[in-house]
Amino acid sequence: MKLLVDIGNSRIKWALSQDWELKEFGDCDYRQASSWPALFEGLARPQAVYLASVATEAINRKFQNEVYARWGIETTILQSEKSCCGVHSGYDDAAQMGVDRWAALVAAHHQFDTAMVIVDCGSALTIDVLATDGSHRGGYILPGIKMQHRALQRGAAGIALEGMENNINGWGTNTASCISLGVIEAMAALIERTTKRFAEELHAKVDVVITGGDAAQLIPSLNVPTVYREHLVLEGIAILATAQER
C-alpha cells in the first residue's frame, strides 16, 4: 500500500494506492495548525509515501517530518521531468512546471486516447494542451476564481463581495453577480478558445478534462464536452510513483 500526497497552495490531499486502485481519500487545509496532528489519523502504515508539492520548502519539510515521526518512513519527492510515462513536457525548463500539472498530464494521457485540454481549477487556473502522442505543447496560467475576486476587492474601491453568488446564469444584476459571472465566463471563454485552436492545429478531435476544487463552478458555463476527474492529480501521482519503483 502506497500513500500518495498532493500539496497545493492551501490544501493537502491524499489517497492510498494498491494495485492502481485509489481509496481512503482525505484532505485538509494545511494553513490551520490544528490540521497537522490529525494528518492520516487512523491510516495503516503504508509501504511508501510519495509527495507531489507546489508548497514552500518549509511546508514540505514539515510534512516529511510528520510522516517520519508517525511511521519512520522517508518521503519520496516527485518532480516534473522532461519526459516520463509517455508524456513529453513542452516547457523550456521542465523543472519549472508545477508537479501537480505534470501529474495531471500523465494521468490524462494514460486514461484517454484523444488530444486533450487539461484544466485544473484551484487557487490558480491552469490550462495545458496535450496531443495524442503525449507531447505537451504548452498552456496558460491565470488567477483562480477566488483569487480574481480578491484582486478586484483589493484594487477597486467600494467593491464588496459579501454574498457572492455561485452557479448563477444569465446576466449580472448586482455587483456581486456581475463579478462572479464575469470571472467564470472569462475562464470558460479561454478554455473554449484553447480547445478550438488546438483542434484546428491538430485537425483532430480534442476533449476537455477538468479537475480542481472550483471545477463545479466552471463546468456549467463550458460549451464544450467536458470530463470531470476529481482525483486526476492523485491518479497521476500513482503512475509516477510506480515509474519510480522500476
Side-chain angles (χ1 to χ4, degrees), residues 6 52 54 80 87 91 96-108 118-120 124-129 136 138-141 232-233 236 240:
D6 167 26
V54 296
S80 299
V87 179
Y91 257 40
Q96 287 189 355
M97 173 180 275
V99 67
D100 53 347
R101 288 171 66 195
W102 179 242
L105 287 170
V106 168
I118 301 161
V119 180
D120 192 336
L125 182 80
T126 63
I127 302 173
D128 287 286
V129 293
H136 169 242
Y140 305 109
I141 303 175
L232 189 67
V233 173
L240 291 171

mmCIF file of all heavy atoms in Angstrom, residues 6 52 54 80 87 91 96-108 118-120 124-129 136 138-141 232-233 236 240:
data_model
loop_
_atom_site.group_PDB
_atom_site.id
_atom_site.type_symbol
_atom_site.label_atom_id
_atom_site.label_comp_id
_atom_site.label_asym_id
_atom_site.label_seq_id
_atom_site.Cartn_x
_atom_site.Cartn_y
_atom_site.Cartn_z
ATOM 1 N N ASP A 6 -0.701 15.088 -2.448
ATOM 2 C CA ASP A 6 -0.645 16.281 -3.295
ATOM 3 C C ASP A 6 -0.781 17.495 -2.385
ATOM 4 O O ASP A 6 -1.814 17.673 -1.738
ATOM 5 C CB ASP A 6 -1.790 16.225 -4.315
ATOM 6 C CG ASP A 6 -2.019 17.548 -5.046
ATOM 7 O OD1 ASP A 6 -1.064 18.336 -5.163
ATOM 8 O OD2 ASP A 6 -3.164 17.767 -5.500
ATOM 9 N N ALA A 52 3.860 14.993 -4.164
ATOM 10 C CA ALA A 52 3.946 15.997 -5.229
ATOM 11 C C ALA A 52 3.485 17.306 -4.613
ATOM 12 O O ALA A 52 2.342 17.420 -4.175
ATOM 13 C CB ALA A 52 3.061 15.614 -6.408
ATOM 14 N N VAL A 54 3.609 21.785 -4.531
ATOM 15 C CA VAL A 54 3.968 23.106 -5.044
ATOM 16 C C VAL A 54 4.044 24.105 -3.888
ATOM 17 O O VAL A 54 4.066 25.318 -4.109
ATOM 18 C CB VAL A 54 2.956 23.583 -6.114
ATOM 19 C CG1 VAL A 54 2.994 22.681 -7.327
ATOM 20 C CG2 VAL A 54 1.528 23.662 -5.549
ATOM 21 N N SER A 80 8.744 17.306 -11.650
ATOM 22 C CA SER A 80 8.432 17.345 -13.074
ATOM 23 C C SER A 80 9.680 16.981 -13.869
ATOM 24 O O SER A 80 10.795 17.323 -13.484
ATOM 25 C CB SER A 80 7.946 18.744 -13.470
ATOM 26 O OG SER A 80 6.770 19.085 -12.776
ATOM 27 N N VAL A 87 4.747 10.910 -21.570
ATOM 28 C CA VAL A 87 4.435 12.334 -21.717
ATOM 29 C C VAL A 87 5.740 13.111 -21.859
ATOM 30 O O VAL A 87 6.716 12.853 -21.142
ATOM 31 C CB VAL A 87 3.632 12.854 -20.510
ATOM 32 C CG1 VAL A 87 3.339 14.347 -20.663
ATOM 33 C CG2 VAL A 87 2.323 12.070 -20.361
ATOM 34 N N TYR A 91 7.666 22.496 -21.767
ATOM 35 C CA TYR A 91 8.330 23.601 -21.102
ATOM 36 C C TYR A 91 9.790 23.706 -21.555
ATOM 37 O O TYR A 91 10.456 22.682 -21.762
ATOM 38 C CB TYR A 91 8.294 23.399 -19.585
ATOM 39 C CG TYR A 91 7.256 24.243 -18.867
ATOM 40 C CD1 TYR A 91 5.980 24.444 -19.407
ATOM 41 C CD2 TYR A 91 7.541 24.832 -17.647
ATOM 42 C CE1 TYR A 91 5.046 25.209 -18.751
ATOM 43 C CE2 TYR A 91 6.605 25.594 -16.975
ATOM 44 C CZ TYR A 91 5.356 25.787 -17.522
ATOM 45 O OH TYR A 91 4.430 26.550 -16.875
ATOM 46 N N GLN A 96 10.505 23.695 -14.129
ATOM 47 C CA GLN A 96 9.711 24.845 -13.706
ATOM 48 C C GLN A 96 8.216 24.548 -13.655
ATOM 49 O O GLN A 96 7.457 25.269 -13.012
ATOM 50 C CB GLN A 96 9.953 26.032 -14.646
ATOM 51 C CG GLN A 96 11.296 26.696 -14.475
ATOM 52 C CD GLN A 96 11.389 27.985 -15.278
ATOM 53 O OE1 GLN A 96 10.483 28.334 -16.041
ATOM 54 N NE2 GLN A 96 12.480 28.694 -15.106
ATOM 55 N N MET A 97 7.784 23.504 -14.345
ATOM 56 C CA MET A 97 6.362 23.179 -14.331
ATOM 57 C C MET A 97 5.964 22.629 -12.971
ATOM 58 O O MET A 97 6.650 21.776 -12.404
ATOM 59 C CB MET A 97 6.017 22.149 -15.419
ATOM 60 C CG MET A 97 4.582 21.648 -15.334
ATOM 61 S SD MET A 97 4.158 20.434 -16.599
ATOM 62 C CE MET A 97 3.729 21.542 -17.932
ATOM 63 N N GLY A 98 4.850 23.107 -12.427
ATOM 64 C CA GLY A 98 4.347 22.567 -11.175
ATOM 65 C C GLY A 98 4.115 21.070 -11.293
ATOM 66 O O GLY A 98 3.526 20.592 -12.270
ATOM 67 N N VAL A 99 4.569 20.323 -10.296
ATOM 68 C CA VAL A 99 4.480 18.868 -10.378
ATOM 69 C C VAL A 99 3.033 18.401 -10.359
ATOM 70 O O VAL A 99 2.716 17.306 -10.856
ATOM 71 C CB VAL A 99 5.307 18.219 -9.245
ATOM 72 C CG1 VAL A 99 4.693 18.505 -7.876
ATOM 73 C CG2 VAL A 99 5.487 16.725 -9.488
ATOM 74 N N ASP A 100 2.114 19.210 -9.831
ATOM 75 C CA ASP A 100 0.700 18.839 -9.885
ATOM 76 C C ASP A 100 0.194 18.854 -11.328
ATOM 77 O O ASP A 100 -0.547 17.955 -11.758
ATOM 78 C CB ASP A 100 -0.144 19.753 -8.994
ATOM 79 C CG ASP A 100 0.065 21.240 -9.273
ATOM 80 O OD1 ASP A 100 1.032 21.620 -9.978
ATOM 81 O OD2 ASP A 100 -0.747 22.046 -8.770
ATOM 82 N N ARG A 101 0.616 19.857 -12.096
ATOM 83 C CA ARG A 101 0.262 19.888 -13.515
ATOM 84 C C ARG A 101 0.874 18.704 -14.257
ATOM 85 O O ARG A 101 0.230 18.090 -15.115
ATOM 86 C CB ARG A 101 0.731 21.197 -14.155
ATOM 87 C CG ARG A 101 -0.063 22.422 -13.749
ATOM 88 C CD ARG A 101 0.597 23.692 -14.247
ATOM 89 N NE ARG A 101 0.583 23.791 -15.693
ATOM 90 C CZ ARG A 101 1.343 24.651 -16.385
ATOM 91 N NH1 ARG A 101 2.198 25.449 -15.738
ATOM 92 N NH2 ARG A 101 1.262 24.711 -17.698
ATOM 93 N N TRP A 102 2.115 18.395 -13.938
ATOM 94 C CA TRP A 102 2.792 17.273 -14.584
ATOM 95 C C TRP A 102 2.051 15.963 -14.295
ATOM 96 O O TRP A 102 1.821 15.151 -15.193
ATOM 97 C CB TRP A 102 4.234 17.210 -14.092
ATOM 98 C CG TRP A 102 5.051 16.088 -14.646
ATOM 99 C CD1 TRP A 102 5.620 15.065 -13.936
ATOM 100 C CD2 TRP A 102 5.431 15.868 -16.013
ATOM 101 N NE1 TRP A 102 6.316 14.231 -14.767
ATOM 102 C CE2 TRP A 102 6.218 14.698 -16.056
ATOM 103 C CE3 TRP A 102 5.177 16.548 -17.199
ATOM 104 C CZ2 TRP A 102 6.748 14.187 -17.225
ATOM 105 C CZ3 TRP A 102 5.707 16.046 -18.379
ATOM 106 C CH2 TRP A 102 6.479 14.876 -18.393
ATOM 107 N N ALA A 103 1.653 15.770 -13.047
ATOM 108 C CA ALA A 103 0.912 14.558 -12.677
ATOM 109 C C ALA A 103 -0.424 14.489 -13.403
ATOM 110 O O ALA A 103 -0.846 13.415 -13.846
ATOM 111 C CB ALA A 103 0.704 14.515 -11.165
ATOM 112 N N ALA A 104 -1.100 15.631 -13.537
ATOM 113 C CA ALA A 104 -2.382 15.657 -14.247
ATOM 114 C C ALA A 104 -2.200 15.284 -15.716
ATOM 115 O O ALA A 104 -3.021 14.558 -16.293
ATOM 116 C CB ALA A 104 -3.025 17.035 -14.117
ATOM 117 N N LEU A 105 -1.132 15.772 -16.339
ATOM 118 C CA LEU A 105 -0.842 15.415 -17.731
ATOM 119 C C LEU A 105 -0.623 13.910 -17.873
ATOM 120 O O LEU A 105 -1.154 13.269 -18.798
ATOM 121 C CB LEU A 105 0.407 16.156 -18.215
ATOM 122 C CG LEU A 105 0.286 17.651 -18.492
ATOM 123 C CD1 LEU A 105 1.669 18.255 -18.724
ATOM 124 C CD2 LEU A 105 -0.604 17.913 -19.689
ATOM 125 N N VAL A 106 0.159 13.339 -16.966
ATOM 126 C CA VAL A 106 0.456 11.908 -17.021
ATOM 127 C C VAL A 106 -0.824 11.097 -16.858
ATOM 128 O O VAL A 106 -1.082 10.138 -17.599
ATOM 129 C CB VAL A 106 1.493 11.536 -15.946
ATOM 130 C CG1 VAL A 106 1.606 10.027 -15.774
ATOM 131 C CG2 VAL A 106 2.855 12.135 -16.304
ATOM 132 N N ALA A 107 -1.665 11.478 -15.897
ATOM 133 C CA ALA A 107 -2.905 10.748 -15.672
ATOM 134 C C ALA A 107 -3.822 10.833 -16.884
ATOM 135 O O ALA A 107 -4.388 9.829 -17.324
ATOM 136 C CB ALA A 107 -3.619 11.299 -14.437
ATOM 137 N N ALA A 108 -3.967 12.026 -17.444
ATOM 138 C CA ALA A 108 -4.857 12.203 -18.594
ATOM 139 C C ALA A 108 -4.372 11.392 -19.790
ATOM 140 O O ALA A 108 -5.172 10.770 -20.507
ATOM 141 C CB ALA A 108 -4.956 13.680 -18.950
ATOM 142 N N ILE A 118 -6.353 20.110 -20.694
ATOM 143 C CA ILE A 118 -6.440 19.689 -19.297
ATOM 144 C C ILE A 118 -6.493 20.928 -18.418
ATOM 145 O O ILE A 118 -5.592 21.772 -18.453
ATOM 146 C CB ILE A 118 -5.231 18.807 -18.936
ATOM 147 C CG1 ILE A 118 -5.208 17.574 -19.847
ATOM 148 C CG2 ILE A 118 -5.279 18.388 -17.466
ATOM 149 C CD1 ILE A 118 -3.880 16.893 -19.921
ATOM 150 N N VAL A 119 -7.562 21.036 -17.640
ATOM 151 C CA VAL A 119 -7.834 22.228 -16.845
ATOM 152 C C VAL A 119 -7.836 21.858 -15.366
ATOM 153 O O VAL A 119 -8.502 20.903 -14.957
ATOM 154 C CB VAL A 119 -9.207 22.837 -17.217
ATOM 155 C CG1 VAL A 119 -9.482 24.085 -16.386
ATOM 156 C CG2 VAL A 119 -9.268 23.152 -18.711
ATOM 157 N N ASP A 120 -7.090 22.609 -14.577
ATOM 158 C CA ASP A 120 -7.115 22.447 -13.117
ATOM 159 C C ASP A 120 -7.583 23.766 -12.523
ATOM 160 O O ASP A 120 -6.918 24.798 -12.638
ATOM 161 C CB ASP A 120 -5.727 22.080 -12.590
ATOM 162 C CG ASP A 120 -5.768 21.609 -11.137
ATOM 163 O OD1 ASP A 120 -6.718 21.977 -10.410
ATOM 164 O OD2 ASP A 120 -4.855 20.879 -10.718
ATOM 165 N N ALA A 124 -5.082 28.679 -8.587
ATOM 166 C CA ALA A 124 -4.840 29.205 -9.932
ATOM 167 C C ALA A 124 -5.609 28.334 -10.916
ATOM 168 O O ALA A 124 -5.934 27.181 -10.620
ATOM 169 C CB ALA A 124 -3.359 29.181 -10.264
ATOM 170 N N LEU A 125 -5.904 28.897 -12.082
ATOM 171 C CA LEU A 125 -6.481 28.114 -13.167
ATOM 172 C C LEU A 125 -5.347 27.799 -14.129
ATOM 173 O O LEU A 125 -4.710 28.705 -14.664
ATOM 174 C CB LEU A 125 -7.574 28.891 -13.887
ATOM 175 C CG LEU A 125 -8.259 28.108 -15.024
ATOM 176 C CD1 LEU A 125 -9.301 27.161 -14.460
ATOM 177 C CD2 LEU A 125 -8.889 29.034 -16.045
ATOM 178 N N THR A 126 -5.091 26.511 -14.336
ATOM 179 C CA THR A 126 -4.068 26.117 -15.301
ATOM 180 C C THR A 126 -4.739 25.394 -16.458
ATOM 181 O O THR A 126 -5.681 24.618 -16.267
ATOM 182 C CB THR A 126 -3.002 25.205 -14.673
ATOM 183 O OG1 THR A 126 -3.600 23.986 -14.229
ATOM 184 C CG2 THR A 126 -2.337 25.904 -13.497
ATOM 185 N N ILE A 127 -4.246 25.669 -17.654
ATOM 186 C CA ILE A 127 -4.751 25.046 -18.868
ATOM 187 C C ILE A 127 -3.550 24.503 -19.630
ATOM 188 O O ILE A 127 -2.596 25.248 -19.905
ATOM 189 C CB ILE A 127 -5.518 26.060 -19.742
ATOM 190 C CG1 ILE A 127 -6.681 26.672 -18.970
ATOM 191 C CG2 ILE A 127 -6.019 25.395 -21.025
ATOM 192 C CD1 ILE A 127 -7.371 27.812 -19.712
ATOM 193 N N ASP A 128 -3.562 23.214 -19.947
ATOM 194 C CA ASP A 128 -2.476 22.593 -20.695
ATOM 195 C C ASP A 128 -3.039 21.837 -21.882
ATOM 196 O O ASP A 128 -4.124 21.237 -21.791
ATOM 197 C CB ASP A 128 -1.685 21.640 -19.798
ATOM 198 C CG ASP A 128 -0.823 22.379 -18.800
ATOM 199 O OD1 ASP A 128 0.210 22.936 -19.218
ATOM 200 O OD2 ASP A 128 -1.183 22.413 -17.611
ATOM 201 N N VAL A 129 -2.308 21.845 -22.988
ATOM 202 C CA VAL A 129 -2.738 21.109 -24.172
ATOM 203 C C VAL A 129 -1.782 19.945 -24.398
ATOM 204 O O VAL A 129 -0.562 20.085 -24.340
ATOM 205 C CB VAL A 129 -2.826 22.028 -25.413
ATOM 206 C CG1 VAL A 129 -3.954 23.036 -25.234
ATOM 207 C CG2 VAL A 129 -1.526 22.758 -25.684
ATOM 208 N N HIS A 136 3.257 17.472 -24.845
ATOM 209 C CA HIS A 136 2.656 18.650 -24.213
ATOM 210 C C HIS A 136 3.120 19.874 -24.984
ATOM 211 O O HIS A 136 4.311 20.129 -25.100
ATOM 212 C CB HIS A 136 3.112 18.711 -22.747
ATOM 213 C CG HIS A 136 2.785 19.988 -22.054
ATOM 214 N ND1 HIS A 136 3.759 20.827 -21.550
ATOM 215 C CD2 HIS A 136 1.602 20.585 -21.780
ATOM 216 C CE1 HIS A 136 3.191 21.865 -20.972
ATOM 217 N NE2 HIS A 136 1.883 21.751 -21.102
ATOM 218 N N GLY A 138 2.167 23.110 -24.340
ATOM 219 C CA GLY A 138 2.239 24.330 -23.541
ATOM 220 C C GLY A 138 0.896 24.607 -22.893
ATOM 221 O O GLY A 138 0.047 23.711 -22.785
ATOM 222 N N GLY A 139 0.702 25.834 -22.446
ATOM 223 C CA GLY A 139 -0.565 26.132 -21.784
ATOM 224 C C GLY A 139 -0.630 27.546 -21.253
ATOM 225 O O GLY A 139 0.100 28.435 -21.695
ATOM 226 N N TYR A 140 -1.533 27.733 -20.282
ATOM 227 C CA TYR A 140 -1.772 29.044 -19.683
ATOM 228 C C TYR A 140 -1.938 28.891 -18.174
ATOM 229 O O TYR A 140 -2.369 27.851 -17.686
ATOM 230 C CB TYR A 140 -3.048 29.678 -20.237
ATOM 231 C CG TYR A 140 -3.111 29.796 -21.740
ATOM 232 C CD1 TYR A 140 -3.981 29.002 -22.491
ATOM 233 C CD2 TYR A 140 -2.305 30.707 -22.422
ATOM 234 C CE1 TYR A 140 -4.049 29.116 -23.865
ATOM 235 C CE2 TYR A 140 -2.358 30.821 -23.798
ATOM 236 C CZ TYR A 140 -3.240 30.027 -24.521
ATOM 237 O OH TYR A 140 -3.296 30.132 -25.889
ATOM 238 N N ILE A 141 -1.616 29.965 -17.471
ATOM 239 C CA ILE A 141 -1.888 30.059 -16.033
ATOM 240 C C ILE A 141 -2.511 31.422 -15.767
ATOM 241 O O ILE A 141 -2.001 32.443 -16.253
ATOM 242 C CB ILE A 141 -0.610 29.922 -15.180
ATOM 243 C CG1 ILE A 141 0.118 28.607 -15.470
ATOM 244 C CG2 ILE A 141 -0.953 30.014 -13.686
ATOM 245 C CD1 ILE A 141 1.450 28.475 -14.757
ATOM 246 N N LEU A 232 -7.677 13.609 -10.460
ATOM 247 C CA LEU A 232 -6.750 13.475 -11.586
ATOM 248 C C LEU A 232 -5.293 13.583 -11.150
ATOM 249 O O LEU A 232 -4.443 12.807 -11.597
ATOM 250 C CB LEU A 232 -7.057 14.540 -12.649
ATOM 251 C CG LEU A 232 -6.306 14.396 -13.970
ATOM 252 C CD1 LEU A 232 -6.761 13.143 -14.717
ATOM 253 C CD2 LEU A 232 -6.514 15.639 -14.850
ATOM 254 N N VAL A 233 -4.971 14.539 -10.288
ATOM 255 C CA VAL A 233 -3.576 14.716 -9.855
ATOM 256 C C VAL A 233 -3.100 13.501 -9.058
ATOM 257 O O VAL A 233 -1.997 12.987 -9.292
ATOM 258 C CB VAL A 233 -3.418 16.014 -9.041
ATOM 259 C CG1 VAL A 233 -2.012 16.106 -8.449
ATOM 260 C CG2 VAL A 233 -3.699 17.231 -9.910
ATOM 261 N N GLY A 236 -2.369 10.688 -11.302
ATOM 262 C CA GLY A 236 -1.069 10.860 -11.938
ATOM 263 C C GLY A 236 0.082 10.543 -11.002
ATOM 264 O O GLY A 236 1.098 9.961 -11.411
ATOM 265 N N LEU A 240 3.276 8.023 -11.555
ATOM 266 C CA LEU A 240 4.662 8.462 -11.380
ATOM 267 C C LEU A 240 5.359 7.654 -10.276
ATOM 268 O O LEU A 240 6.551 7.339 -10.382
ATOM 269 C CB LEU A 240 4.685 9.949 -11.033
ATOM 270 C CG LEU A 240 4.262 10.901 -12.165
ATOM 271 C CD1 LEU A 240 4.103 12.324 -11.631
ATOM 272 C CD2 LEU A 240 5.259 10.871 -13.315
#
